[in-house]
Amino acid sequence: MQLLPGPVRRLAAWCVVILLVAGVVYVGIRLCVEFRTAVTPVLLALLGTALLGPLYRRLVTAGVNRSVAAGITCVAVVAVVGGAVYIVVAALIDTGDQIVAAVKDAGNSVADHFGAAGTSLDDLASNAQELLAKFGGTAASNVISGVSVVGEAIAMAVLALLLVFFFLRDSHLATGLLRSLAPGGTADIVEAMGRRAFEGVEGFMRGTTLIALIDALCIGVGLLVLGVPGAAGLAALVFVGAYIPYLGAFLSGAVAVLVALADRGGVIALWVLGVVLAVQVLEGHVLLPMIQSRTVQMHPAVVMIAITAGASVAGVLGMLLAVPLTAAAFGVVHELRERYASQDPNSGASTGPSPAPSDS
């Protein structure tokens, strides 16, 4: 190694460090994927704790017992989420038949316009029935698999809710636990990194909630003005979908357009599509840079890369967790950079005269 120039040796050292870090991160991700049933509730509980922390702290400051405050917070979030899901499902049930009929009519009109013989939705439906009869066993196994996935998701949601309760109730013990686990002499820096990481996650959840609320209000008002039924439920769907980057906005917007198409016709559906696109442009060009830059301090390109990587690793769940985890990592990096940049390299050296030796 001494035969190589200094810059080459430094480059080789950095390459070794990068490879080691990448290997550790890869192994950690694979382990999390393998143990996702246990890891996912913990990560979701951390997100829930970051989101609900301000409400819990207000209750504790008001003199409410910690356990009671944590229980009230969890009950409140269950009531809000359950109410939103009920409103959305009720709105979709009321317009479900109309949505199917409208989509079928639209497909038939397109087929008639282009003169495509034998491609109507009725033909597709009959062909689908034949395929279903032919591959009934595969369909049944897929249904069973889907039921098991739903059961697993419900179990993880319940476990995450219980963990949120314990994380909120015992949040005042987190600092002591973190310091006790830190190696000797590193308790301060470990505590600082933990605080910055949680602040990054908390900032992301706070910014996302504010953006989701603005999106839901804007789209909800637009739907009310256009006279689309179930505007409150669709606005609630927009609010919930905003926590899933990109995919949530696409799905909630598509549902709103379909409901408008079913009840009000194609012209109103186009107006709803315009409202949804306008709100998404407002979010991408105004709200995200203005709000998330203050709460997370991440470039939009980093957010897109993190979402893509999360989706490739764990699908929709990876998209949900990628940005807050990246925000936590950025918080740790900022803390380390500020801490070591503020240290004088020669601080350990004495600049003054040496003290005289003691006679004793």
Side-chain angles (χ1 to χ4, degrees):
M1 291 295 292
Q2 297 297 329
L3 298 177
L4 298 175
V8 176
R9 293 199 300 268
R10 287 193 293 270
L11 177 61
W14 275 109
C15 290
V16 171
V17 171
I18 292 174
L19 288 175
L20 288 175
V21 172
V24 171
V25 171
Y26 176 78
V27 172
I29 292 174
R30 297 313 304 175
L31 289 175
C32 290
V33 171
E34 290 296 327
F35 297 99
R36 61 184 179 277
T37 307
V39 174
T40 300
V42 175
L43 296 177
L44 292 177
L46 289 175
L47 295 184
T49 303
L51 178 62
L52 302 172
L55 175 60
Y56 167 77
R57 289 192 290 268
R58 286 179 179 272
L59 292 175
V60 172
T61 304
V64 181
N65 180 269
R66 291 184 179 273
S67 298
V68 176
I72 293 174
T73 305
C74 292
V75 170
V77 71
V78 169
V80 171
V81 174
V85 171
Y86 173 78
I87 294 174
V88 171
V89 172
L92 294 179
I93 289 176
D94 291 339
T95 58
D97 295 336
Q98 297 175 352
I99 291 174
V100 173
V103 173
K104 184 177 180 179
D105 293 340
N108 287 331
S109 63
V110 170
D112 294 339
H113 178 74
F114 289 101
T119 58
S120 65
L121 292 188
D122 292 332
D123 296 334
L124 293 178
S126 62
N127 293 333
Q129 291 176 355
E130 294 177 1
L131 290 176
L132 183 60
K134 185 176 180 180
F135 300 103
T138 304
S141 64
N142 289 336
V143 169
I144 294 174
S145 177
V147 171
S148 64
V149 170
V150 171
E152 180 180 336
I154 294 176
M156 288 193 297
V158 172
L159 178 57
L161 183 63
L162 293 175
L163 289 176
V164 167
F165 171 81
F166 290 116
F167 287 173
L168 288 173
R169 190 194 66 178
D170 301 329
S171 58
H172 62 291
L173 304 176
T175 301
L177 177 63
L178 196 62
R179 295 182 68 90
S180 65
L181 296 176
T186 62
D188 291 337
I189 188 172
V190 170
E191 178 186 351
M193 289 191 299
R195 289 184 182 276
R196 288 295 290 265
F198 189 76
E199 288 173 1
V201 176
E202 195 173 35
F204 166 78
M205 296 300 294
R206 185 170 60 248
T208 301
T209 302
L210 181 58
I211 293 173
L213 182 60
I214 295 175
D215 288 353
L217 288 176
C218 293
I219 293 179
V221 170
L223 295 177
L224 285 175
V225 172
L226 294 172
V228 178
L234 295 173
L237 180 62
V238 171
F239 179 81
V240 175
Y243 287 95
I244 305 177
Y246 300 116
L247 181 62
F250 172 77
L251 292 178
S252 59
V255 171
V257 172
L258 287 176
V259 172
L261 177 64
D263 189 80
R264 300 300 308 278
V267 176
I268 299 298
L270 290 176
W271 276 104
V272 172
L273 179 61
V275 170
V276 172
L277 292 178
V279 171
Q280 294 306 316
V281 171
L282 175 66
E283 174 187 337
H285 292 80
V286 178
L287 298 179
L288 278 175
M290 183 175 63
I291 295 176
Q292 292 288 36
S293 62
R294 297 185 179 183
T295 57
V296 180
Q297 298 180 351
M298 285 194 305
H299 195 274
V302 177
V303 175
M304 295 178 64
I305 294 173
I307 291 172
T308 304
S312 64
V313 173
V316 177
L317 185 62
M319 295 176 65
L320 175 63
L321 298 175
V323 180
L325 292 179
T326 306
F330 266 65
V332 173
V333 171
H334 286 318
E335 176 63 29
L336 292 175
R337 185 176 61 184
E338 292 176 2
R339 180 175 292 267
Y340 287 106
S342 63
Q343 292 181 355
D344 185 3
N346 299 321
S347 60
S350 177
T351 56
S354 301
S358 175
D359 293 335
S360 57

